[in-house]
Amino acid sequence: AQSVTQLDSQVPVFEEAPVELRCNYSSSVSVYLFWYVQYPNQGLQLLLKYLSGSTLVKGINGFEAEFNKSQTSFHLRKPSVHISDTAEYFCAVSEDSGAGSYQLTFGKGTKLSVIP
Amino acid sequence: DAGVTQSPTHLIKTRGQQVTLRCSPKSGHDTVSWYQQALGQGPQFIFQYYEEEERQRGNFPDRFSGHQFPNYSSELNVNALLLGDSALYLCASSRPGGADTQYFGPGTRLTVL
């Protein structure tokens, strides 16, 4: 069974500083990896995804993530954060649950607070 | 191109009642998944519908049921509501094949009193 661990529940960071949100996963098969962002009282918006190919994935709003198979990690990074990046970020893994069904398993989320 | 839409936005029910939530997938998508997000938690998979059939189910009781219509829209029904069913219910759609990205709607906030 797949599982996702987001190592930090809250990350405060000053505006224009770099940030890394950590994500580790466990799975017995090949997986697809995703980062979603959730702003208050809203649904989930896709930031980026890893399906195959290059292990460095670039997403929207200047975010990027690196897939590390040996360490089973998919950490999210941004070199310079803005106030508007304040939100909750979810790492998710997807694998074939059988019959072509790919359900997402999410971590518990990391709340990013950008301090002016 | 409209994204995933959900209705209603908010809903208040009392214990023991029944509720129906609705979802319209993104254009070109035929697979719909439902997730429950309790306060302060990550979303949890309820079930997935494809070709009007429940294809996969998470660890949720039979009080949670669903339906998919020929136009790919979907409903989530919850019977005998409990206080613990209070949550944000998210619908996600994806293209044929299922391995591709799931796109989420804005969610329905259900409060059970």
Side-chain angles (χ1 to χ4, degrees):
Chain A
Q2 58 198 28
S3 66
V4 177
T5 302
Q6 292 186 241
L7 296 160
D8 306 293
S9 59
Q10 296 188 53
V11 173
V13 62
F14 285 103
E15 192 174 13
E16 297 184 8
V19 69
E20 178 180 82
L21 306 183
R22 297 178 292 169
C23 172
N24 286 90
Y25 69 92
S26 67
S27 175
S28 57
V29 297
S30 296
V31 297
Y32 305 110
L33 295 158
F34 304 83
W35 276 98
Y36 288 88
V37 60
Q38 186 173 39
Y39 299 100
N41 300 313
Q42 293 188 26
L44 300 176
Q45 180 183 359
L46 178 70
L47 271 181
L48 49 78
K49 60 186 177 183
Y50 173 79
L51 301 181
S52 64
S54 173
T55 57
L56 183 63
V57 180
K58 293 190 183 298
I60 62 170
N61 302 339
F63 284 94
E64 64 179 32
E66 186 161 15
F67 170 55
N68 188 319
K69 188 174 181 179
S70 63
Q71 297 188 4
T72 59
S73 67
F74 190 55
H75 300 334
L76 180 70
R77 302 185 183 99
K78 186 170 183 178
S80 176
V81 296
H82 303 287
I83 294 292
S84 59
D85 293 324
T86 295
E88 189 152 24
Y89 292 78
F90 291 95
C91 180
V93 62
S94 170
E95 66 178 36
D96 187 357
S97 304
S101 170
Y102 288 79
Q103 66 184 70
L104 286 169
T105 299
F106 286 87
K108 292 187 175 182
T110 298
K111 289 184 180 177
L112 173 64
S113 299
V114 180
I115 305 162
Chain B
D1 178 24
V4 180
T5 59
Q6 292 185 244
S7 63
T9 304
H10 295 88
L11 207 50
I12 299 175
K13 292 286 188 178
T14 57
R15 281 176 296 174
Q17 284 189 312
Q18 177 264 343
V19 68
T20 297
L21 311 181
R22 296 175 177 84
C23 171
S24 292
K26 192 175 166 64
S27 177
H29 289 187
D30 66 353
T31 302
V32 174
S33 303
W34 287 91
Y35 293 82
Q36 179 195 65
Q37 186 179 19
L39 202 60
Q41 300 294 318
Q44 287 199 299
F45 176 74
I46 302 175
F47 43 52
Q48 184 178 89
Y49 275 84
Y50 172 69
E51 292 186 340
E52 303 179 50
E53 296 282 336
E54 182 183 289
R55 180 159 69 174
Q56 189 74 23
R57 188 178 184 91
N59 189 24
F60 279 81
D62 292 344
R63 298 187 297 110
F64 289 77
S65 63
H67 188 77
Q68 186 178 35
F69 298 94
N71 68 352
Y72 309 124
S73 67
S74 177
E75 288 182 348
L76 164 65
N77 301 292
V78 187
N79 294 322
L81 284 166
L82 304 173
L83 294 179
D85 295 332
S86 294
L88 181 68
Y89 288 85
L90 295 164
C91 169
S93 72
S94 52
R95 291 187 299 178
D100 207 338
T101 309
Q102 293 187 25
Y103 293 88
F104 284 81
T108 294
R109 172 75 62 189
L110 172 64
T111 302
V112 182
L113 302 177

